[in-house]
Amino acid sequence: MDKRRNRPGTCTEDMCAWADMPLDDMESTLAVEQYIQQLVRKDKNDYEAIVALPAGQDDMQWVYEHLRRFCLELNGLVLALEGHCTAERCGQMKATDEWLYFCAAHNPPQECSAIDYSVHTLDGAGALLNSKKWFPARSNFSKKARQHFESIARRLYRIFAHAYFHHRSVYDEFETETSLCHRFSRLSELHQLLPASQMLIPISHADDSASDISDISSSRTSLKSSDGESDA
């Protein structure tokens, strides 16, 4: 059986150079994670194919593994923001100037600089997704898990939104390379992780030209939730 390993001494260009494998043929307990990795390696910009739910696959496990992947890849955007998004320049976490977000890493939630909010959010999301209390297994999910998925998605999306509205050149370069926000937005739409009113970045998909959310103000609502979200 093919071990699908990068052997010591493998050149960078030869990494992961094994043949693609159908999800059903993957026998590992980490099969879904490995399958998503395979799709991203094949073409990271083909976000429709990456988020498409395979036949017979549990949708909760599919969303869970994608959220874990988003936490990993969003670190790249936060790193790209270094030097552009500082505590001095971005003392508050905002998307548009009408939306101010409080950081749930504090008790009670409080204002954070945008870069600290992003780091705290990724740390918190990663800790929650790896929590044995809420996710004792990566293939068996309680009804409560759905609420956690929505909360994590809502907070992670704010990192994209801040970069888009306040550091557009950094966002555009990162998105051109990864299509990560397109992938995140599409998964959120397909599995209803975020309401349309909170998806502030204009995104259009190949099969849905009407999904460009260009009129942000018409769908915006005033929010004040337990995780410190405010439209101040």
Side-chain angles (χ1 to χ4, degrees), residues 15-161:
M15 289 286 186
C16 306
W18 44 72
D20 290 346
M21 180 181 294
L23 177 58
D24 290 342
D25 292 348
M26 295 183 177
E27 300 177 355
S28 168
T29 56
L30 305 178
V32 177
E33 177 187 24
Q34 293 172 349
Y35 183 68
I36 293 173
Q37 290 174 349
Q38 174 179 285
L39 292 173
V40 173
R41 285 197 304 268
K42 184 176 182 180
D43 185 356
K44 65 180 67 175
N45 292 310
D46 190 2
Y47 59 91
E48 294 280 4
I50 296 172
V51 302
L53 182 69
Q57 174 59 46
D58 178 74
D59 62 335
M60 293 286 283
Q61 185 182 18
W62 187 245
V63 171
Y64 173 81
E65 293 296 347
H66 270 288
L67 288 174
R68 287 174 56 91
R69 180 81 190 184
F70 288 134
C71 288
L72 290 174
E73 292 193 58
L74 263 170
N75 278 286
L77 178 56
V78 173
L79 183 61
L81 289 170
E82 185 178 5
H84 301 272
C85 182
T86 65
E88 292 73 27
R89 293 178 181 176
C90 303
Q92 296 175 315
M93 182 58 168
K94 291 184 175 183
T96 66
D97 287 336
E98 298 180 39
W99 287 79
L100 170 65
Y101 304 119
F102 290 179
C103 182
H106 309 274
N107 189 17
Q110 65 185 45
E111 290 185 26
C112 249
S113 67
I115 195 66
D116 285 345
Y117 182 103
S118 300
V119 172
H120 293 166
T121 294
L122 289 174
D123 287 347
L128 180 56
L129 290 169
N130 286 292
S131 169
K132 295 300 182 182
K133 175 181 179 180
W134 296 113
F135 303 105
R138 293 171 67 167
S139 59
N140 186 20
F141 301 91
S142 67
K143 294 181 180 179
K144 183 72 172 178
R146 173 74 190 186
Q147 297 177 11
H148 287 308
F149 291 168
E150 293 173 358
S151 176
I152 290 170
R154 185 171 64 250
R155 294 170 183 169
L156 292 179
Y157 185 81
R158 295 168 185 168
I159 301 175
F160 289 116

Side-chain angles (χ1 to χ4, degrees), residues 40 43-46 50 73 76 169-183:
V40 173
D43 185 356
K44 65 180 67 175
N45 292 310
D46 190 2
I50 296 172
E73 292 193 58
S169 62
V170 176
Y171 170 89
D172 285 345
E173 182 176 355
F174 180 82
E175 187 63 12
T176 298
E177 171 66 23
T178 67
S179 292
L180 190 62
C181 188
H182 280 70
R183 192 196 318 165

